[in-house]
Amino acid sequence: MTNNDINYYLQENIQVWDKLDKDQKNDLIDSSMINCYQKGENLHGKESGCIGTLFVMKGRLRVYILSDEGKEITLYRLYKNESCVLSASCVLASINFDVFIDAEENTEVLMINSAVVSQVMQKNLDFECYIYKLTTERFSDVMWAMQQILFRGIDERVATVLWDASIHSDDDLITLTHETIAKDIGSAREVVSRMLKYFESEGIVTLYRKGIKIKNRKKLRAMIN
């Protein structure tokens, strides 16, 4: 990908691009790099350091936290053209917890160097507000995930995961494994499997070896409400 391609991508995906001056745009473009990750590969972890601001160009990422006992809890997923700033703890001093990021599909990511992002934030108020807006949106996702775990039943949480996954699917076949759903809701795989079998008995889903087929979207939606 050439600098012109990166320029076009950032122009399309950074809302305040036209508020930046020429030097600031060039700094962001010159400090951007494209990385490709295989399905299952880790992008960011506790010992990774600051990797800057991410934009998903292709594929899907899962952002999660890890307990001292090794239990994973999914915070949110990033799809095409979505961004993440929670990995840029060196840019945002208020972020003091570790997040982990894995590729759930073969994924292409544009990364902007954290030091350059920080410099442009200091020079341009519109860009600074934009970065903090992204941060607020992601923390909203984090709080929503915590609310699901703390205040909703297993049936509602499993139904919510299936519904959200269906939004990003071309059909009603969900390819998430029972283990992945368990990580999403902070539960055990066995609990999820029992709940999915109950959903199947109620005619809400059909379970297949390679995925979960939604049979009755209306009943699934009703479980969330």
Side-chain angles (χ1 to χ4, degrees), residues 77-186:
R77 285 181 168 81
L78 295 168
Y79 297 87
K80 183 178 179 180
N81 295 332
E82 292 187 337
S83 58
C84 178
V85 293
L86 295 191
S87 59
S89 56
C90 50
V91 175
L92 303 170
S94 58
I95 298 177
N96 55 13
F97 67 93
D98 295 307
V99 296
F100 296 77
I101 305 175
D102 290 350
E104 288 194 317
E105 301 175 354
N106 293 341
T107 303
E108 191 172 293
V109 176
L110 183 147
M111 296 183 177
I112 307 178
N113 181 274
S114 57
V116 174
V117 170
S118 181
Q119 291 169 9
V120 176
M121 286 176 65
Q122 293 173 17
K123 297 176 182 178
N124 189 295
L125 181 60
D126 290 302
F127 187 72
E128 181 183 30
C129 291
Y130 166 73
I131 293 295
Y132 278 112
K133 179 177 179 290
L134 292 180
T135 308
T136 300
E137 290 172 352
R138 291 306 167 204
F139 269 114
S140 178
D141 292 335
V142 171
M143 293 305 297
W144 184 88
M146 294 300 101
Q147 183 184 43
Q148 299 297 305
I149 292 170
L150 293 173
F151 302 118
R152 304 190 78 176
I154 293 291
D155 55 343
E156 291 178 281
R157 285 149 61 189
V158 172
T160 299
V161 170
L162 295 179
W163 183 266
D164 289 347
S166 72
I167 294 174
H168 297 280
S169 176
D170 294 331
D171 53 32
D172 287 329
L173 182 63
I174 308 303
T175 58
L176 296 178
T177 66
H178 296 197
E179 180 68 25
T180 298
I181 296 173
K183 291 176 180 178
D184 283 357
I185 68 173

Side-chain angles (χ1 to χ4, degrees), residues 162 166 172 174 204-206 212-217 220:
L162 295 179
S166 72
D172 287 329
I174 308 303
I204 299 172
V205 303
T206 300
I212 304 161
K213 182 81 171 182
I214 298 176
K215 288 182 62 179
N216 192 320
R217 295 181 65 85
L220 181 66

